[in-house]
C-alpha cells in the first residue's frame, strides 16, 4: 500500500515508522520547510511509553529531557509553598519523568524515520486538493501542482487540520471550547531561574508559569479564563487577529499581575516562537471516510488540560498501523480504519473527559478563591509525601500501561527483521 501522511509532527512520523516495517510505501508532506524548532513542554505517559520503547527511542527521549525537577506553586514574591518533585517511577507530580519539548520529540521521530527506504519526506509541501476518494484509491493534488494516487490518506496535520475540513462535513466535527486561553513563548534565562515548573496563580483568573528547557533558555506561559462577556469577546477577537493584536491584549490583561509578569511582558515582543492558543477540544462522529482517516489532534485533540495529547497521538498511530498490517492483499483499508476506531475510541473519549468546573477552579477570580486553591494544592503536596500513599502511585516498570492495546505480529522483532530484509532501496 502507498500511504500519504499530511503532517510531520508526532502522529505522522510514528505511523510512518510502523507502516514502513510492514512494507508500506509512505510519503509524508509537511507545509513547513523543515521540522519546526518551536513548541513547549509535552510529556509521554501511559501506553505511549511502551510504544516509544518498542521503537528503540527511549534513550533519545531521555537525552532530550527538559531537566525539569518537578512542579511547585509559588506566592507573589516567588516563594514556593507547594512542591511536587519528580520521582523516578512515580506519578505524584504534574511534571513528568519523560518531559520533553514538542520540537525535540518531533526531531527524534524524524531522525528515526528519515533514512528508511520506505519513507519519503516532502517539506514545503501540502495537499491542496483531494480530487477523488473511492474504492480504487485516493487521488490528490499537491501545492506544487503534482497529482498522485495513494491507497490511503492520513490527516495528521493538527487540531485545526485543513485536510479534515476539506474531507469531512462540518456536522462530523465538534469543536468544544474550554473557556480558556494560553500564550507560550521562550525568554532568556536568568541566573535566578531554576529547574522547576514554577506556577503562580495571579488575581483575576490568571496564571503565570516558568519552565526550564535543555537549551539555556526559559519557557514562559500565561493562561487566562475570561470573567466577563466583554473580556471573552476581546480574547476571541484577538484569536482571529494577528500577533500584534494578541500581544497588545496580553500586555493589557497581565500588566500588574505580580511575580515576574513584567519580565515576561517585556520579553514577549522579541520571542520568535510566540503562540496564542485557544483551548478547544476536537470531537469527531467518525474518524474516517473511505480511504481518508484522521489521526492525533486532527481526530481527537484532548487539550493540554488532559495532558494526553502526545500519548493519544502515539498510541493511535501504533493502533492504526497495526490494524492496517492485518489487511489481506487487495482488502479495502476501511476494514482496518473501522477496527482502529472501534478499539481506540473508548480510551480517547475517557481521556477527553474534563470536569465541568475545570479550568475555572484553577483560575480563581477573587482572593478567597485563590486562598482556597493554594490551600488545596498545599495539602495535596503534603499528602503525596506519605510513604504508603506515594507507593500507590508507582509505575512498576517503564511500560506504564493502562490501556489493553493489542500486539501485532507484523511488529514482532522477527517479523520486522524479515520485512526489513525485503525492503527496496528507494521509495519511488
Amino acid at each position: 500500500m502507498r500511504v500519504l501522511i499530511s503532517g510531520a509532527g508526532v502522529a505522522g512520523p510514528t505511523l510512518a515508522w510502523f507502516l514502513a516495517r510492514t512494507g508500506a510505501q509512505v510519503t509524508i508532506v509537511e507545509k513547513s520547510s523543515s521540522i519546526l524548532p518551536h513548541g513547549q513542554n509535552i510529556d509521554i505517559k501511559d501506553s505511549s511509553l511502551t510504544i516509544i520503547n518498542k521503537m528503540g527511542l527511549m534513550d533519545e527521549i531521555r537525552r532530550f529531557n527538559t531537566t525539569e525537577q518537578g512542579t511547585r506553586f509559588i506566592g507573589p514574591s516567588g516563594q514556593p509553598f507547594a512542591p511536587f518533585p519528580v520521582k523516578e517511577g512515580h506519578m505524584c507530580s504534574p511534571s513528568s519523568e519523560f518531559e520533553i519539548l514538542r520540537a525535540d520529540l518531533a526531531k527524534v521521530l524524524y531522525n528515526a524515520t528519515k533514512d528508511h527506504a520506505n519513507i519519503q519526506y516532502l517539506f514545503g509541501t501540502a495537499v491542496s486538493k483531494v480530487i477523488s476518494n473511492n474504492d480504487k484509491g485516493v487521488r490528490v493534488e499537491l501545492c506544487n501542482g503534482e497529482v498522485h494516487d495513494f491507497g490511503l490518506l492520513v490527516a495528521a496535520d493538527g487540531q485545526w487540520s485543513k485536510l479534515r475540513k476539506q474531507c469531512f462535513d462540518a456536522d462530523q466535527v465538534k469543536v468544544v471550547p474550554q473557556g480558556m486561553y494560553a500564550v507560550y513563548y521562550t525568554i532568556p534565562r536568568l541566573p535566578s531561574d531554576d529547574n522547576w515548573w514554577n506556577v503562580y496563580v495571579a488575581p483575576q483568573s490568571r496564571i503565570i508559569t516558568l519552565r526550564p528547557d535543555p537549551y539555556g533558555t526559559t519557557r514562559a506561559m500565561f493562561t487566562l479564563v475570561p470573567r466577563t462577556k466583554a473580556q471573552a469577546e476581546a480574547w476571541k477577537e484577538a484569536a482571529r487577529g494577528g500577533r500584534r493584536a494578541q500581544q497588545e491584549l496580553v500586555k493589557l490583561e497581565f500588566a500588574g499581575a505580580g511575580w515576574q509578569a513584567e519580565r515576561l511582558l517585556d520579553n514577549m515582543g522579541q520571542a520568535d516562537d510566540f503562540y496564542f492558543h485557544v483551548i478547544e477540544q476536537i470531537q469527531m462522529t467518525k474518524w474516517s471516510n473511505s480511504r481518508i482517516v484522521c489521526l492525533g489532534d486532527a481526530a481527537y485533540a484532548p487539550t493540554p488540560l488532559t495532558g494526553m495529547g502526545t500519548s493519544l497521538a502515539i498510541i493511535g498511530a501504533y493502533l492504526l498501523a497495526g490494524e492496517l498490517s492485518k489487511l489481506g492483499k487487495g482488502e479495502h483499508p476501511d476494514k482496518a480504519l473501522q477496527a482502529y476506531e472501534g478499539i481506540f475510541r473508548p480510551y480517547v473519549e475517557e481521556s477527553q473527559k474534563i470536569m465541568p468546573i475545570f479550568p475555572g477552579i484553577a483560575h480563581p477570580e477573587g482572593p478567597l478563591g485563590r486562598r482556597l486553591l493554594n490551600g488545596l494544592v498545599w495539602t495535596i503536596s503534603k499528602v503525596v509525601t506519605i510513604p504508603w500513599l506515594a507507593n500507590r502511585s508507582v509505575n512498576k516498570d517503564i511500560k506504564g500501561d493502562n490501556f489493553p492495546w493489542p500486539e501485532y505480529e507484523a511488529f514482532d522483532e522477527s517479523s520486522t527483521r524479515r520485512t526489513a530484509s525485503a525492503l527496496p532501496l528507494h521509495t519511488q
Side-chain angles (χ1 to χ4, degrees):
M1 181 181 292
R2 296 185 70 236
V3 179
L4 176 63
I5 299 173
S6 175
V10 174
T14 303
L15 176 65
W17 192 96
F18 284 103
L19 282 180
R21 277 145 184 80
T22 69
Q25 303 287 317
V26 184
T27 300
I28 301 178
V29 293
E30 169 55 50
K31 65 180 181 180
S32 302
S33 59
S34 63
I35 297 295
L36 292 175
H38 306 316
Q40 297 292 312
N41 294 56
I42 56 178
D43 54 13
I44 306 168
K45 62 180 67 171
D46 300 331
S47 296
S48 59
L49 287 172
T50 311
I51 296 167
I52 289 293
N53 201 38
K54 183 181 284 286
M55 298 169 74
L57 299 178
M58 193 57 69
D59 287 344
E60 282 295 279
I61 297 300
R62 292 185 188 278
R63 185 167 73 88
F64 283 99
N65 186 275
T66 63
T67 73
E68 191 165 288
Q69 296 176 357
T71 302
R72 63 185 182 187
F73 287 77
I74 62 171
S77 301
Q79 71 279 15
F81 64 86
F84 296 86
V86 170
K87 295 182 180 180
E88 185 174 352
H90 288 252
M91 299 179 294
C92 292
S93 175
S95 296
S96 167
E97 185 181 346
F98 302 96
E99 209 71 51
I100 188 172
L101 297 178
R102 185 193 179 280
D104 286 340
L105 179 57
K107 185 191 306 180
V108 167
L109 293 169
Y110 170 67
N111 288 336
T113 53
K114 65 183 177 66
D115 296 324
H116 198 288
N118 277 27
I119 300 173
Q120 179 187 36
Y121 280 87
L122 299 176
F123 287 100
T125 307
V127 176
S128 61
K129 183 180 181 182
V130 177
I131 300 172
S132 62
N133 170 33
N134 52 44
D135 288 343
K136 295 182 180 179
V138 182
R139 174 165 289 184
V140 302
E141 180 180 334
L142 302 181
C143 60
N144 58 13
E146 295 179 0
V147 174
H148 295 275
D149 293 302
F150 294 91
L152 181 69
L153 173 59
V154 182
D157 50 342
Q159 181 172 351
W160 295 283
S161 169
K162 292 183 178 180
L163 196 53
R164 181 190 65 214
K165 186 175 182 180
Q166 182 182 164
C167 301
F168 292 83
D169 294 336
D171 60 3
Q172 293 179 285
V173 183
K174 184 179 180 181
V175 179
V176 185
Q178 299 301 310
M180 174 180 160
Y181 295 83
V183 173
Y184 320 92
Y185 55 97
T186 304
I187 63 175
R189 184 179 174 103
L190 298 178
S192 56
D193 289 342
D194 54 42
N195 287 339
W196 287 79
W197 181 11
N198 290 298
V199 180
Y200 168 56
V201 179
Q204 299 174 356
S205 305
R206 299 171 292 181
I207 291 178
I208 303 171
T209 83
L210 290 177
R211 310 184 76 166
D213 67 26
Y215 300 107
T217 49
T218 295
R219 305 289 164 144
M221 180 174 71
F222 292 118
T223 65
L224 179 140
V225 172
R227 307 181 307 285
T228 66
K229 184 176 180 179
Q231 189 181 32
E233 188 57 40
W235 281 82
K236 188 181 297 185
E237 183 65 27
R240 295 190 289 261
R243 177 175 295 192
R244 176 174 293 182
Q246 292 166 357
Q247 292 187 351
E248 287 178 355
L249 179 62
V250 173
K251 288 181 179 179
L252 176 66
E253 293 279 20
F254 281 85
W259 189 42
Q260 299 197 35
E262 299 310 316
R263 171 195 171 191
L264 272 61
L265 294 175
D266 289 345
N267 282 278
M268 186 169 57
Q270 291 76 50
D272 59 4
D273 62 343
F274 175 88
Y275 186 63
F276 188 98
H277 190 183
V278 183
I279 306 299
E280 295 174 331
Q281 196 172 87
I282 298 298
Q283 299 175 3
M284 297 185 70
T285 57
K286 195 169 185 291
W287 298 344
S288 62
N289 173 13
S290 188
R291 291 176 178 267
I292 301 173
V293 62
C294 294
L295 178 66
D297 280 354
Y300 35 76
T303 79
L305 298 173
T306 68
M308 287 298 294
T310 303
S311 294
L312 292 182
I314 293 171
I315 300 169
Y318 171 83
L319 292 173
L320 177 56
E323 293 304 315
L324 288 167
S325 76
K326 293 163 59 177
L327 291 175
K329 186 175 181 180
E331 278 194 284
H332 196 290
D334 186 63
K335 177 182 177 181
L337 306 186
Q338 296 300 320
Y340 147 68
E341 182 166 349
I343 294 169
F344 198 37
R345 180 178 279 275
Y347 183 75
V348 167
E349 291 181 349
E350 187 65 27
S351 299
Q352 287 188 319
K353 289 181 179 178
I354 299 173
M355 293 175 60
I357 60 173
F358 191 77
I361 195 172
H363 293 76
E365 181 175 356
L368 177 59
R370 291 175 65 214
R371 284 197 297 271
L372 290 173
L373 177 62
N374 289 342
L376 176 63
V377 296
W378 178 86
T379 301
I380 295 173
S381 73
K382 300 302 180 184
V383 169
V384 296
T385 63
I386 299 173
W388 71 267
L389 186 61
N391 289 337
R392 292 174 63 90
S393 71
V394 173
N395 267 342
K396 291 183 171 55
D397 56 27
I398 200 171
K399 295 177 75 173
D401 289 334
N402 64 353
F403 174 68
W405 53 281
E407 293 281 358
Y408 296 103
E409 182 181 355
F411 304 147
D412 290 344
E413 289 188 14
S414 57
S415 288
T416 301
R417 285 195 296 269
R418 287 196 302 272
T419 303
S421 65
L423 293 180
L425 297 178
H426 56 278
T427 302
Q428 295 293 341

